[in-house]
Amino acid sequence: MLKTIYINKLTNLSRRFMFLNIHCLYLNMMIRCNLHYSKASNIHYFVTKHLKANFVRKIIFFIFTPKVIAMTKQALYIASGILVLFSSVSCISGQGKNSKEFSTSKIYQKVPCTADTNLTYALFLPESYEKDKPCPVLILFDSHGDGLLPVNLFSAEASTNGFIVAGSNNSKNGLPIEETTAIYRKMLADISNRFNINNKAVYVGGFSGGSRVAGAAAITVGGIAGVVGCGAGLPNISQKPLSPFSYLAVVGNQDFNYTELLQLDETLEQSGYQHHLLEFDGIHQWPPKELIPEIFVWLKFDAMRQQAIPVDRNAINSFIEKNDKDASLASTEGRLSQQQDIYIKMMHYLHGLTDLAPLQAEIDKLSGNKYVVAFRKQQKQLLETEQELQRRYSPEIQQQSIEWWSKETRKLHSLSENPANPEMNAVYKRLLGFLSLNCYMYSTSALKQGDLEAAAKYIEIYRLVDPTNAEHRYLAAKVAAIEHNPDALFRALDQAFNLGFKDINRLQADADFQPYHQDERFMKFSERK
């Protein structure tokens, strides 16, 4: 009986020795392949579970028998051979992806996700990227699914600052949040599998609807250090973020979402979030190239603040010196509100990195200046006027005729360029942008409902409000296609291309144009660049 017990114990222990040997071989191959221990967490869990549950907890004395020893050796040889083969294949595969498929300082337009090749992203690796050194990453979302656009825009500064940049080719306006969030998850997983990323420095960003996609990922997925929201704020999600993140808002002073981002900035300040609002002179668009360095300064400082990368005192001192000079120049020229804005920017950027007491003292001092007080009051009144104009004009899209809108839009365009009242110019430009967006929404909604008469009306108002936008001509072509009017269809498409339309994939995939694919005129449009 005692011998039987010992033999049973020996058989169990032999199995445990096999697990231990596999564990040792596994770790050895991991080192040889330069893989991260966490990359094989399933195997690690499987091994350590048995070790901790059984072997480590006991010291068992037993009697060796030749039969059991032979069985144990055979099992060990088989298991070791299988694991070595598996580990070798994994090493070859991982090394091939990192060292052979991708070069640094080069932009790739379409990188298919390994787990789902229908999903692709544009990619840029900085010159400083090394496979054994974790690298910060910025994942970007364009509102029209053009991942190459933001990667081209951000790549130069990404190289200077050592960031991997990727742009989704699938996420675009109109997709549900659940789908765009799934796209983000798959992109991040694919990038993590291919490259050595710094998990403490994962940043997301986007433009317009893409900004809301980035915000949704930060709120619902978590593990994101910060968001760069361009031209739009956070999505309307009634959920507490899974983990805290910083927020850099970037918006043009003529963007129809300008007031939204101003209000978001105030809310983030009151909520204690790490945040800042960068403004530029422009419309609803990705930020201009000249502003990208400021975005990367924010990202680097934020990564330092979160201890994801080492603190760079030279970069911090250089930032302080540059902005202090700008503030002094603004003071000399009497631009006191701008001087205060510069100090506020320095406060936001340098939070957690240096002593902010001197900056806070300057901000407080300027807050009591009568000229600054008067300017802030005027800005508040302008924003209130803008919101009132939006409330007044929005319902008129449905209620008023095209003739009424023809007269009204001429007046609004004139007011947006009025040299006698420059303070209101930006207000009316943002109002026209707001109306443009509303017209687009009314037009597409009517098309989906099959109400071609209403769609034609909204599309024409859209044209009056925003004459240089190619989208209303594209929508007019859809109406003509549904009404079987090929002459009007190709005339509208020609106008759309002349205004800058270039989404050939969208044109070819649009079901309304399917009957015209063999038409020579349509084929010419499909070949246009």
Side-chain angles (χ1 to χ4, degrees):
M1 183 69 172
L2 185 61
K3 182 177 180 180
T4 303
I5 293 173
Y6 277 131
I7 290 175
N8 287 337
K9 287 184 178 181
L10 177 59
T11 304
N12 291 332
L13 190 59
S14 299
R15 188 179 297 114
R16 292 163 194 150
F17 269 124
M18 180 179 73
F19 287 132
L20 179 60
N21 190 55
I22 292 172
H23 193 225
C24 294
L25 285 169
Y26 161 69
L27 289 174
N28 182 51
M29 292 307 299
M30 290 275 283
I31 294 169
R32 288 170 58 190
C33 298
N34 293 317
L35 296 175
H36 288 291
Y37 192 77
S38 61
K39 291 275 179 86
S41 58
N42 289 337
I43 299 175
H44 175 255
Y45 172 78
F46 178 67
V47 173
T48 54
K49 178 182 177 183
H50 287 80
L51 291 174
K52 289 179 181 178
N54 300 307
F55 181 64
V56 177
R57 294 178 185 174
K58 298 179 181 179
I59 299 177
I60 302 173
F61 296 96
F62 53 86
I63 301 173
F64 287 96
T65 67
K67 182 178 180 181
V68 171
I69 294 173
M71 291 171 60
T72 303
K73 285 183 178 180
Q74 185 178 10
L76 285 172
Y77 289 145
I78 294 171
S80 301
I82 292 172
L83 187 62
V84 167
L85 177 62
F86 173 80
S87 300
S88 299
V89 171
S90 298
C91 290
I92 294 169
S93 175
Q95 289 175 349
K97 285 179 182 177
N98 284 335
S99 61
K100 294 181 180 179
E101 286 188 26
F102 301 98
S103 302
T104 61
S105 303
K106 180 179 178 180
I107 294 175
Y108 295 86
Q109 184 173 359
K110 286 188 177 181
V111 177
C113 289
T114 305
D116 185 353
T117 55
N118 291 318
L119 297 182
T120 69
Y121 54 90
L123 175 72
F124 175 81
L125 292 181
E127 185 179 1
S128 59
Y129 175 75
E130 298 175 6
K131 64 181 180 180
D132 58 349
K133 181 181 177 182
C135 185
V137 61
L138 174 62
I139 298 176
L140 298 166
F141 300 94
D142 179 61
S143 56
H144 299 295
D146 185 357
L148 185 62
L149 191 159
V151 170
N152 276 330
L153 179 62
F154 282 75
S155 61
E157 287 301 317
S159 184
T160 301
N161 293 278
F163 272 69
I164 296 172
V165 179
S168 171
N169 291 320
N170 300 90
S171 175
K172 56 186 175 181
N173 287 353
L175 297 180
I177 286 177
E178 295 78 10
E179 186 172 348
T180 57
T181 301
I183 290 171
Y184 164 72
R185 288 180 185 273
K186 290 181 180 180
M187 277 185 68
L188 179 62
D190 196 73
I191 295 166
S192 300
N193 287 334
R194 293 180 188 273
F195 310 109
N196 187 359
I197 70 167
N198 186 335
N199 291 318
K200 291 183 178 181
V202 175
Y203 290 88
V204 294
F207 165 65
S208 193
S211 174
R212 302 194 197 282
V213 169
I219 293 170
T220 63
V221 179
I224 291 172
V227 176
V228 180
C230 306
L234 293 168
N236 186 19
I237 298 178
S238 56
Q239 175 183 327
K240 184 179 179 181
L242 294 181
S243 57
F245 56 88
S246 65
Y247 195 89
L248 178 66
V250 187
V251 67
N253 56 10
Q254 300 166 37
D255 193 319
F256 52 80
N257 284 329
Y258 179 76
T259 56
E260 176 198 346
L261 286 170
L262 283 182
Q263 291 168 346
L264 174 61
D265 192 59
E266 291 181 6
T267 301
L268 293 174
E269 177 69 22
Q270 294 166 3
S271 302
Y273 267 73
Q274 190 68 44
H275 72 100
H276 186 66
L277 173 65
L278 281 178
E279 294 183 28
F280 61 90
D281 186 18
I283 58 173
H284 187 64
Q285 63 184 61
W286 279 100
K289 188 176 181 179
E290 297 74 26
L291 197 64
I292 305 303
E294 299 235 26
I295 294 174
F296 273 97
V297 171
W298 170 267
L299 294 175
K300 283 197 71 172
F301 282 13
D302 190 63
M304 293 178 199
R305 186 164 35 243
Q306 300 194 43
Q307 299 181 347
I309 62 174
V311 174
D312 185 344
R313 286 295 164 193
N314 289 333
I316 292 171
N317 292 337
S318 177
F319 173 83
I320 292 172
E321 183 179 355
K322 176 185 179 301
N323 283 274
D324 193 48
K325 286 181 179 178
D326 291 343
S328 296
L329 179 61
S331 176
T332 301
E333 296 177 351
R335 296 179 285 112
L336 300 185
S337 60
Q338 292 184 25
Q339 181 188 16
Q340 188 184 46
D341 287 339
I342 293 169
Y343 287 144
I344 291 172
K345 173 187 173 183
M346 293 173 72
M347 279 276 293
H348 289 163
Y349 271 64
L350 296 170
H351 186 267
L353 298 174
T354 191
D355 180 19
L356 301 178
L359 283 171
Q360 188 62 62
E362 291 296 326
I363 293 169
D364 293 342
K365 179 181 176 182
L366 287 166
S367 294
N369 183 279
K370 64 178 182 180
Y371 297 107
V372 174
V373 171
F375 178 81
R376 302 297 182 201
K377 182 178 179 181
Q378 180 193 44
Q379 293 301 110
K380 184 179 179 181
Q381 289 173 343
L382 289 172
L383 292 176
E384 289 173 352
T385 299
E386 181 177 342
Q387 291 171 339
E388 176 56 34
L389 288 169
Q390 290 179 354
R391 286 191 291 269
R392 189 204 314 174
Y393 277 100
S394 184
E396 305 294 4
I397 296 173
Q398 290 180 294
Q399 297 172 7
Q400 295 294 345
S401 66
I402 291 174
E403 290 73 24
W404 185 89
W405 273 103
S406 180
K407 295 177 182 177
E408 204 65 21
T409 50
R410 282 198 298 270
K411 181 178 76 174
L412 292 175
H413 283 295
S414 176
L415 289 169
S416 70
E417 302 292 344
N418 184 9
N421 194 4
E423 294 83 5
M424 287 294 293
N425 287 355
V427 169
Y428 282 110
K429 286 178 180 177
R430 290 195 294 267
L431 174 63
L432 287 165
F434 169 81
L435 294 173
S436 174
L437 177 62
N438 276 263
C439 288
Y440 167 79
M441 295 170 64
Y442 278 119
S443 300
T444 54
S445 177
L447 276 170
K448 287 179 181 178
Q449 295 171 14
D451 189 347
L452 298 184
E453 182 179 355
K457 172 192 170 181
Y458 298 142
I459 291 168
E460 181 57 17
I461 298 173
Y462 191 2
R463 183 187 69 81
L464 294 169
V465 167
D466 195 358
T468 61
N469 193 325
E471 185 64 23
H472 53 71
R473 294 300 85 206
Y474 182 86
L475 296 178
K478 286 172 66 70
V479 171
I482 297 169
E483 292 179 335
H484 307 292
N485 187 344
D487 291 337
L489 183 163
F490 293 117
R491 184 167 56 250
L493 277 183
D494 186 58
Q495 293 168 345
F497 274 90
N498 290 338
L499 289 171
F501 180 85
K502 50 188 175 183
D503 193 346
I504 303 299
N505 291 334
R506 178 187 176 192
L507 177 66
Q508 293 174 334
D510 198 319
D512 292 330
F513 299 130
Q514 190 72 32
Y516 302 93
H517 278 199
Q518 302 307 314
D519 190 300
E520 185 177 337
R521 291 170 292 181
F522 186 87
M523 295 170 70
K524 287 182 179 179
F525 281 118
S526 298
E527 296 170 358
R528 289 177 67 167
K529 301 295 184 182

